[in-house]
Amino acid sequence: MASLNVGNLGDYLREQRRTAQLSLRQLAEAAGVSNPYLSQIERGLRKPSAEVLQQVAKALRISAETLYVRAGILDEKEREELETRAVILADPSINERQKQVLLQIYDSFRKENAAEAASGAVSEPGPGPAQASAPAPDAEEPPSS
């Protein structure tokens, strides 16, 4: 009955619950799920919904995305993208307009890199278009006769 990654999820949840020094009953109550259901999740017998995982993550004060990855709902790259976005949006030192501009730039870089990866192009850091056409600083022009 256990599906892919559910045992791993259960072990991880149990470890996080113990780290938080919560009993199974306390975590179940804080997450709004039944004690037997949470026990079955920890033992790898049930695969919880994304909503239940979010409730458990909130009760444990951990990232819901991490639980989604452990449960096989979300892949690692998607989790990293969501966490990057969350950090930008949560930064109190920049205003909303700046946050939106940063997210637009981030999206454009991701799309550009995905397109390059799909075409098989290797993305190497190098000079930009203006720099590529300029001669090297120590290059000399050949003497004209």
Side-chain angles (χ1 to χ4, degrees), residues 85-104:
R85 291 178 174 285
V87 168
I88 291 169
L89 292 171
D91 189 336
S93 67
I94 58 178
N95 66 40
E96 288 306 311
R97 185 188 61 78
Q98 292 167 330
K99 291 175 185 181
Q100 292 309 312
V101 169
L102 273 174
L103 289 173
Q104 288 172 353

